[in-house]
Amino acid sequence: TRASYWLGPILIGVCHLGAGFAVFTGLSLSAWIWIVVWYEIRMLAITSVYHRLLAHKAYSSPAWFKWVGSFVAASAGQMGPSWWKGHHEVHHRLADQADEPHSSVKGFWWSHYRWLLSQNFIPSQLPADVERDWVLRIIDRLHFLPLLALGLLSYGIGGLDYLIAFFVSTTLLFHGVALVNSACHTSGSSPFQTDDNSRNNRLVAMLTLGEGWHNFHHAFPWSARQGITVVDDKVQYLPDFTYSFIQGLQRIGIASKVRLPSNSTVSAGANHARNHS
């Protein structure tokens, strides 16, 4: 398992190197479309499945949806579902404390990527609920195969042009997700009461389909909707594409038991002295 996990940073490093070739070769318009499409699809898998479904159980879904979503999320180079949830649980339990693997108190770049190159990269414990699902467990241990498969698919469809586009898309996606750990604990506003440095960051929210409303998320981690704030003692809603996607899943019967805080609960958790978004 450790050997499998350590392939993750190596492959992300390869993607960064591969993305650099775009400077010399240039990219076609269709390759740029490939970049955007696979950035959005894989980001959505991370936010809706790895994060809000598996890590926080903000809604329920059939097992097959967890499997498909986790396969797509793994193709982003974001490791497997057990690794991802294992680290995220520690993040919430020890947020911004010295023992947190990617604690922001150790600096922006530590929380952004340097922690991935340390012993903190291996989770201290894997989540029992994910480990009980043998399909998710296989995806976790073979997390590198979906990433390699997407790279091969890209090359098969568009040759070197699309392969480099795959590298660019994966690299941008890596940094988009990492900004939630770094920028959202150093820059932005804190409309809600938490015991950490979590911040709402509008730019990160746009790049991550709603994950940048991180202060709200730390106040209400179980909420399927993260784009909520309080302004002048009134609850307001913010752009959150991931939640819109979950609503769509609910309409077609894939998502159920969607968890949301009441307006009174949201208001009670607000920092009324500095309640801006």
Side-chain angles (χ1 to χ4, degrees):
T1 298
R2 284 177 173 265
S4 165
Y5 283 174
W6 278 114
L7 279 175
I10 294 172
L11 292 174
I12 286 296
V14 170
C15 287
H16 277 69
L17 292 173
F21 283 102
V23 176
F24 305 102
T25 64
L27 292 170
S28 65
L29 176 60
S30 63
W32 278 106
I33 294 173
W34 192 255
I35 289 171
V36 173
V37 167
W38 280 107
Y39 177 97
E40 299 292 348
I41 289 175
R42 293 182 292 171
M43 180 65 79
L44 186 59
I46 295 164
T47 62
S48 65
V49 178
Y50 270 11
H51 191 203
R52 304 194 196 188
L53 177 58
L54 295 182
H56 292 292
K57 299 180 179 178
Y59 65 100
S60 298
S61 77
W64 67 263
F65 180 76
K66 297 177 184 178
W67 301 338
V68 172
S70 294
F71 186 91
V72 176
S75 75
Q78 291 291 314
M79 306 295 292
S82 288
W83 181 96
W84 207 98
K85 180 173 181 176
H87 269 302
H88 197 69
E89 288 182 332
V90 176
H91 171 63
H92 278 273
R93 188 169 66 250
L94 301 174
D96 295 316
Q97 299 179 34
D99 292 338
E100 185 203 351
H102 46 77
S103 174
S104 67
V105 300
K106 296 182 180 180
F108 181 93
W109 294 113
W110 173 268
S111 58
H112 193 77
Y113 79 91
R114 284 179 55 199
W115 74 278
L116 293 169
L117 306 177
S118 73
Q119 288 299 320
N120 291 328
F121 175 73
I122 302 297
S124 58
Q125 186 175 353
L126 298 179
D129 60 334
V130 177
E131 288 290 287
R132 282 194 296 268
D133 187 314
W134 67 271
V135 176
L136 292 179
R137 193 167 64 249
I138 289 174
I139 294 172
D140 182 75
R141 303 310 192 267
L142 301 179
H143 63 89
F144 50 90
L145 291 183
L147 179 67
L148 295 175
L150 183 56
L152 290 173
L153 175 66
S154 301
Y155 183 77
I157 291 176
L160 185 62
D161 190 37
Y162 273 42
L163 179 60
I164 295 175
F166 158 77
F167 290 142
V168 171
S169 181
T170 305
T171 300
L172 292 175
L173 184 59
F174 169 83
H175 289 288
V177 172
L179 284 172
V180 179
N181 293 337
S182 55
C184 286
H185 281 261
T186 56
S187 178
S189 62
S190 301
F192 296 96
Q193 300 169 14
T194 63
D195 295 325
D196 50 59
N197 299 325
S198 59
R199 299 286 187 269
N200 279 355
N201 188 301
R202 185 173 293 272
L203 175 59
V204 178
M206 298 302 103
L207 294 174
T208 59
L209 308 180
E211 299 291 286
W213 310 122
H214 202 54
N215 178 241
F216 174 87
H217 174 58
H218 273 254
F220 304 96
W222 46 268
S223 175
R225 184 173 200 161
Q226 296 183 12
I228 305 176
T229 192
V230 174
V231 178
D232 297 329
D233 295 329
K234 295 181 180 178
V235 174
Q236 295 187 4
Y237 297 101
L238 303 166
D240 186 349
F241 184 82
T242 299
Y243 176 64
S244 298
F245 176 69
I246 294 170
Q247 285 183 301
L249 295 176
Q250 189 176 26
R251 282 192 288 269
I252 61 177
I254 294 177
S256 61
K257 301 178 182 177
V258 178
R259 302 169 70 192
L260 296 169
S262 65
N263 283 1
S264 60
T265 301
V266 171
S267 295
N271 281 322
H272 295 285
R274 45 178 179 154
N275 55 356
H276 50 85
S277 64

